[in-house]
Amino acid sequence: MLTLYAPAKINWFLEVTGKRPDGYHELVTVMQAISLFDRLDFEEASTPGISLTCNIDLGPPEKNLVYRAAEILRKAHAPARGAKIHLEKHIPHGAGLGGGSSDAACAVVGLNKLWNLNLPDARLEGLVSQVGSDCAFFVRGGIALCTGRGEIIEHKPPITKIDIVVLYPDVVLPTPDVYRDLSRHLTYTPKDCYFFHESGLLNALSVPKVVFNRLEEAALRVSPGLREVWGKTEHERSVTCRFVSGSGSAIAFVMMNRSAALDLARLFERRGLGRAFAVTTVTVGASESSDAGHRSVGGPDQAG
Ligand code: C5P
């Protein structure tokens, strides 16, 4: 049996630079893995094929990104092999946190280990990007500049660990709805990404200068639930900036330190604003342990 942890992400920067003939949008985005994890357990099976179970109702497993990515890998590289995968979800769905995409990346990383296939990361990235634009990032995780549909990845050196509160306002926001809304407003001049110009100095105080999300206004227009929570979280203590993560509905709050993050997460939950997670940036992708350095959400150091 093999256990791996699949981190969520936030986008420090996301600009949409155009619409493509295939209907997707051309992106420039800075993806960052954070210490909020789903867990995947892998076990060899004697019959060929993949079986998938989950602690919550997933609907038909064949539609799940984990199943689809696992089958793409199996058919291409190990058609005679079988595996049972159990998925334990902690990352909220429809939140712009990349949970499903990270789980899919974790599935190909896990099966590569379980079956001793020794495929290089670049091959795993190529396979998993067939099931979603931002899946490939999660094979190695950490921090990266992503372009194209989001699948062209340039990994970058880690930045200083930053404390973040992620607030999920209990509303599912479908990504296509947000892009569709943005398409009606493609009249801006795209912003340049200065994130890595600053990276040596980046911390909770300097990061607000380089944070931006083009999808934020569209997400707020599309989702009344997100708009309401956004309106109620404008002036929180010890927050240096806040932004919608990817296409939403989660909001990320950059915090001055860990204790302020824990306090704010508790306060948000007491105020009934949704589910709140005090997390940090992490340097990993799909991995056997979390490098969060202290308690992480859903990660191995959460146990007990
Ligand atoms: O690639 P993925 O299936 O994750 O994308 C989900 C949806 O998000 C797409 O169907 C599309 O509507 C939108 N999308 C986009 N441009 C991107 C990524 C996603 O329009 N670069």
Side-chain angles (χ1 to χ4, degrees):
M1 171 114 128
L2 168 73
T3 297
L4 295 186
Y5 295 87
K9 60 83 180 163
I10 54 160
N11 302 72
W12 287 124
F13 179 91
L14 193 163
E15 179 59 289
V16 178
T17 55
K19 189 150 188 203
R20 302 161 36 132
D22 62 8
Y24 281 88
H25 292 79
E26 202 68 29
L27 301 182
V28 176
T29 182
V30 179
M31 306 253 283
Q32 168 73 63
I34 57 171
S35 62
L36 166 62
F37 299 91
D38 286 343
R39 171 182 162 146
L40 285 89
D41 295 315
F42 300 85
E43 207 179 325
E44 180 98 44
S46 49
T47 47
I50 302 292
S51 71
L52 175 64
T53 54
C54 184
N55 66 323
I56 58 166
D57 183 17
L58 278 182
E62 304 72 36
K63 292 209 168 150
N64 188 269
L65 293 188
V66 167
Y67 180 90
R68 287 169 50 205
E71 275 295 346
I72 287 172
L73 173 87
R74 195 184 68 81
K75 285 180 179 149
H77 292 285
R81 307 296 288 268
K84 293 179 191 168
I85 305 176
H86 182 71
L87 170 61
E88 189 181 291
K89 288 295 294 176
H90 297 272
I91 305 170
H93 162 73
L97 296 171
S101 301
S102 188
D103 297 342
C106 197
V108 296
V109 170
L111 294 176
N112 190 37
K113 281 189 202 218
L114 188 76
W115 293 335
N116 294 312
L117 302 176
N118 296 316
L119 299 170
D121 286 344
R123 176 66 183 144
L124 299 178
E125 288 165 357
L127 289 168
V128 80
S129 61
Q130 294 175 43
V131 304
S133 302
D134 62 0
C135 295
F137 161 76
F138 291 102
V139 170
R140 285 180 255 186
I143 183 167
L145 179 66
C146 304
T147 52
R149 283 189 295 131
E151 88 289 12
I152 303 169
I153 301 153
E154 194 185 320
H155 285 276
K156 298 284 188 179
I159 60 168
T160 329
K161 189 182 283 182
I162 294 180
D163 289 289
I164 297 164
V165 171
V166 170
L167 175 61
Y168 174 62
D170 278 323
V171 285
V172 171
L173 189 41
T175 305
D177 295 3
V178 177
Y179 277 102
R180 206 174 300 118
D181 182 275
L182 182 81
S183 292
R184 290 197 283 268
H185 301 84
L186 283 176
T187 52
Y188 51 83
T189 307
K191 273 188 197 290
D192 290 328
C193 177
Y194 290 111
F195 197 83
F196 295 106
H197 296 217
E198 296 265 348
S199 65
L201 307 167
L202 279 179
N203 56 36
L205 285 173
S206 56
V207 85
K209 284 191 279 181
V210 285
V211 157
F212 176 73
N213 180 5
R214 177 65 64 190
L215 296 179
E216 186 167 280
E217 280 180 22
L220 288 163
R221 271 194 300 267
V222 169
S223 174
L226 169 59
R227 210 159 51 236
E228 187 188 338
V229 170
W230 183 258
K232 288 179 175 168
T233 55
E234 205 173 342
H235 304 291
E236 306 297 339
R237 282 178 57 199
S238 305
V239 174
T240 64
C241 73
R242 67 172 180 161
F243 53 93
V244 169
S245 180
S247 57
S249 64
I251 308 170
F253 298 80
V254 177
M255 304 303 300
M256 288 301 292
N257 54 53
R258 178 76 182 155
S259 76
L262 289 167
D263 287 348
L264 187 65
R266 274 189 225 110
L267 181 69
F268 282 157
E269 292 209 342
R270 269 208 307 276
R271 282 159 59 190
L273 295 179
R275 286 161 61 195
F277 307 91
V279 300
T280 67
T281 53
V282 295
T283 58
V284 288
S287 58
E288 284 169 62
S289 64
S290 115
D291 78 340
H294 45 65
R295 284 170 69 87
S296 56
V297 186
D301 46 356
Q302 182 82 347

